Amino acid sequence: MNSPRWLPLESNPEVMTKFVSCLGMKPSWQFGDVYGLDPELLSMVPRPVCAVLLLFPVTEKYEAFKQEEEERLKGQGQGVSPDVYFIKQTIGNACGTIGLIHAVANNQAHLQFEPNSPLKKFLEQTTKMTPEDRAAFLEKDESIRVTHESSAQEGQTEAPSLDEKVNLHFIAFVNVGGQLYELDGRKPFPVVHGKTTEDTFLEDAVEVCKIFMARDPQETPESKENITAKYSEVLSQQAHLGRNFNFT
């Protein structure tokens, strides 16, 4: 049986904000852009920042690193908190939605939802499931699928066809219990990147993003950097961190 495929989401904060709003998340948190990694540009991001999404190209070099990292972490182990919400990605081109779920699910204490929010309902129904069972449950969730498909048709660029190969991928960074976690539905488990705080979270996540960029410098020209992060404007607003490529 072939895995389901969705249209990829554009790396666009307005599209992402509308996506989660349509699924019943109140607009006290929104998405917005961060246009560089230096301290001056990061200082322009409203705080607090509760999650970061990074969009990057999946290359042969990255895939080799991913395999080595998996084997290394399986051997040495990690102290992953049971409070971390992690979902596997089994739907093609759904990494943008997976990233949004990771960002929202691990920050529910900061966020507010409308009554009968489909996203809140999904999180409540899957909270005690394994990452694999959550993925299977997502495959059958019509509210999220329909919202994803609608959002994929919006933005500034035309969505590719379902069959078109897309080599760009979204991952999320969150702070759970004072630890910085990388959440990637293509990986078997969360990756712990050390200690962090609410005040230093954005800068700590950016340091990990710099490692991604340094791994494939030919894929990350400075002119194409468009980092976006979760931020606050009045109460608090979300933003995502990603490079200025078109799709997940």
Side-chain angles (χ1 to χ4, degrees):
M1 182 177 177
N2 294 329
S3 298
R5 293 178 66 82
W6 293 354
L7 291 172
L9 289 181
E10 181 178 277
S11 177
N12 182 315
E14 293 180 357
V15 169
M16 292 185 169
T17 296
K18 184 176 180 180
F19 186 147
V20 294
S21 177
C22 287
L23 289 174
M25 196 182 86
K26 292 186 177 181
S28 54
W29 290 76
Q30 297 180 358
F31 290 85
D33 291 327
V34 179
Y35 293 100
L37 301 181
D38 60 85
E40 181 179 359
L41 290 173
L42 291 180
S43 69
M44 297 169 62
V45 179
R47 311 298 174 105
V49 173
C50 75
V52 168
L53 299 183
L54 175 67
L55 178 65
F56 66 97
V58 175
T59 64
E60 291 184 4
K61 185 177 293 186
Y62 173 74
E63 291 289 73
F65 165 78
K66 176 173 169 287
Q67 183 62 34
E68 179 278 328
E69 178 190 57
E70 179 180 334
E71 295 173 358
R72 173 171 50 83
L73 293 179
K74 282 182 177 178
Q76 71 184 36
Q78 299 184 102
V80 176
S81 168
D83 295 331
V84 175
Y85 183 104
F86 181 64
I87 180 173
K88 292 283 292 176
Q89 180 184 340
T90 56
I91 304 170
N93 294 336
C95 58
T97 292
I98 297 295
L100 293 177
I101 289 174
H102 279 143
V104 173
N106 289 287
N107 285 289
Q108 294 182 68
H110 301 299
L111 307 176
Q112 295 178 314
F113 299 85
E114 300 290 348
N116 302 317
S117 159
L119 182 53
K120 180 66 173 178
K121 182 179 179 181
F122 174 85
L123 297 178
E124 290 174 344
Q125 290 175 318
T126 60
T127 184
K128 295 183 179 180
M129 292 184 184
T130 66
E132 293 77 15
D133 288 342
R134 289 167 179 162
F137 199 80
L138 178 62
E139 290 184 14
K140 301 174 183 178
D141 191 301
E142 281 298 295
S143 294
I144 294 178
R145 183 191 66 79
V146 170
T147 304
H148 175 107
E149 295 297 300
S150 175
S151 298
Q153 301 289 347
E154 301 185 12
Q156 300 176 347
T157 52
E158 183 179 354
S161 68
L162 282 173
D163 297 327
E164 185 174 338
K165 185 177 181 180
V166 179
N167 73 332
L168 297 172
H169 186 57
F170 270 118
I171 61 175
F173 296 93
V174 297
N175 171 14
V176 178
Q179 293 286 332
L180 175 62
Y181 288 94
E182 172 193 333
L183 304 177
D184 180 350
R186 294 179 66 239
K187 293 185 176 182
F189 39 69
V191 177
V192 184
H193 286 289
K195 294 182 179 180
T196 190
T197 68
E198 290 188 6
D199 292 336
T200 66
F201 169 69
L202 177 59
E203 285 74 14
D204 294 336
V206 161
E207 289 305 308
V208 181
C209 293
K210 288 179 180 178
I211 296 174
F212 274 78
M213 295 178 178
R215 190 176 297 121
D216 279 303
Q218 71 277 11
E219 298 286 346
T220 58
E222 285 189 18
S223 62
K224 287 190 177 181
E225 285 183 2
N226 173 21
I227 310 292
T228 55
K230 295 218 162 193
Y231 66 92
S232 123
E233 196 166 287
V234 180
L235 295 175
S236 48
Q237 282 192 315
Q238 299 176 334
H240 75 283
L241 172 59
R243 267 172 268 162
N244 191 19
F245 295 104
N246 289 335
F247 300 105
T248 65

